[in-house]
Amino acid sequence: MSRLVVVSNRIADPRKAAAGGLAVAVKESLQRTGGLWFGWSGKIRDTPDSSPEHNDVQIQTAHNVTLATVDLSQQDYDSYYLGYANGVLWPVFHYRLDLANFDTRFAAGYRRVNQMFARKLKALLKPDDVIWVHDYHLIPLAAELRAMGCSNRIGFFLHIPVPPPLIMAALPEHEWLMRSLFAYDLVGLQTEADVTHFTHYVEAEANAQPIGTNELRAFNRTLRVGAYPIGIDVDEFEALANGKEGRDMFARMREEYSRRRLLLGVDRLDYSKGLPQRVHAFRELLANYPENRNSATLIQIASPSRENVDAYEVLRRQMDSLCGEINGDYGELDWMPVRYIHRNVARKRLPGLYRASRVALVTPLRDGMNLVAKEFIAAQDPADPGMLVLSRFAGVAEQLKEALLVNPYDTQGTAHAIQKALTMPLEERVQRHATLLKRIRDKDVHWWSSTFLKDLEATPRSEES
Ligand code: GDG
């Protein structure tokens, strides 16, 4: 059995139960193979550059897993993390060319940090290791490792969407990024739509030749590409909802809102999540369906995110003002339409909150997958479930067709769907929920990691392709 090496921008300590996300997804495989998890420590060093002699790898062991981290210099953090990853790749991959800042120094910093990561990681690798790299921060990592003579199997999973070819082509460095992707053996994307975009893009821009199903040949290499929609640990989430804290939270919310109907949004405060559009749609609901006044309450949790990137500050001010306006215009002494919480809520409180909500609003303008939609379904009482209003532009909409799908840019249409969700008969809710639950259970997080890793291990070794 090969050792698994996971590489991601940030790592999470798998000993911490509340870690969530990627930690849950890769924990089992890392523990089973005595694996290694490599990434940025989250710390910024005082020394100005990332040269190897100034930056040691910090190693810890957690159960059977080795955690290896490096620090970043301030300059690298600014250009690699804030500048290129979150100021260029994130907006472009979410179709927001208008928000991208194509400063060439950012691209240089991005490359420099990927080279530094490759150098540090290479020293820790064994010949049979299987390497799984995560997300847009690390696209060129495999190419840098290959340049150092690494012939291990290397897979890449992109957590965010792939935009249509001409949007990709607007990235000044797109050819370099595309060539870098061909250094991987397997590229995993969230949805079939992403696979189609990616395939069209490399066919158009690199004259890549399709060979067999989901195999592309270009730059003298063969790349496998597939859709691996990421899932959640459904059993864990159900257990959390049914556990003591989940039940307490549920009971508290039900009591507090006994005369109200609760709508819920849980997101990072990010412009891809469609938060202003959601507040507009909720306002439209109150205007067009007055029976919801003095009754429907939207709790919107918007956890702070990337506060050093300008576009996020603009969004924050916009949300403060929109929520203030709706409460001012519609609020009563004993009812506030929107409870807007710009703080992180403890993970153990989420399941009870999801379960107490009649409707979840998951309405991003663009999203790779969206795990909140899956968490909401897993937390419901199957005998009296809440309803999911879901953007058709979230990757998860490819799987969850029984939700009420909306176009978040269509304010009236979204308000209408929210009203439909609020008034849906019990029998229909139960039926839809049962199908949705089956879908997220069939492709849960264990399916996701084991399928990707099985496919990666089945690819020929690099020198053989
Ligand atoms: C990226 C892609 C893709 C949110 N607020 C709080 C909180 N959360 C948790 C949720 C959920 C997670 O954060 C968010 O996951 P999403 O999938 O919704 O979105 P991104 O953070 O943008 O993730 C996305 C994902 O990667 C995985 O591939 O699905 O498309 O953009 O688990 O519950 N958790 C706590 N407090 C909060 O206030 N504890």
Side-chain angles (χ1 to χ4, degrees), residues 90 159 190 230 266 268 273 301 303 343-347 350 354 367-372 375:
W90 179 272
H159 291 254
Q190 297 273 28
I230 192 169
V266 176
R268 281 185 306 99
K273 303 292 182 184
I301 295 165
S303 47
R343 279 193 314 278
N344 200 57
V345 170
R347 184 170 165 77
L350 288 179
Y354 287 136
D367 217 330
M369 178 55 49
N370 194 296
L371 297 179
V372 171
E375 292 169 356

Side-chain angles (χ1 to χ4, degrees), residues 306-321:
R306 303 174 198 166
E307 291 178 309
N308 296 334
V309 179
D310 292 345
Y312 290 72
E313 182 53 33
V314 173
L315 175 65
R316 187 189 167 163
R317 284 200 300 272
Q318 194 183 3
M319 282 298 284
D320 285 349
S321 120

Side-chain angles (χ1 to χ4, degrees), residues 121-157:
L121 177 61
K122 180 74 172 50
L124 303 174
L125 290 178
K126 299 176 185 166
D128 277 340
D129 286 346
V130 168
I131 306 169
W132 189 3
V133 180
H134 288 265
D135 232 358
Y136 57 100
H137 313 84
L138 300 171
I139 292 172
L141 191 74
E144 300 296 349
L145 284 168
R146 299 278 185 232
M148 293 169 196
C150 172
S151 62
N152 298 56
R153 289 191 177 87
I154 316 181
F156 178 73
F157 186 78

Side-chain angles (χ1 to χ4, degrees), residues 233-253:
D233 189 333
V234 178
D235 293 332
E236 182 221 8
F237 226 83
E238 279 182 346
L240 280 174
N242 291 314
K244 184 174 174 335
E245 286 191 273
R247 281 184 287 125
D248 287 353
M249 185 69 188
F250 172 76
R252 258 184 54 201
M253 296 307 291

Side-chain angles (χ1 to χ4, degrees), residues 7 13 115 148 165 215 309-310 326 364 367 369 394 397 431 445:
V7 192
D13 189 333
Q115 275 169 341
M148 293 169 196
E215 283 189 13
V309 179
D310 292 345
I326 190 171
D367 217 330
M369 178 55 49
Q431 265 177 16
V445 74

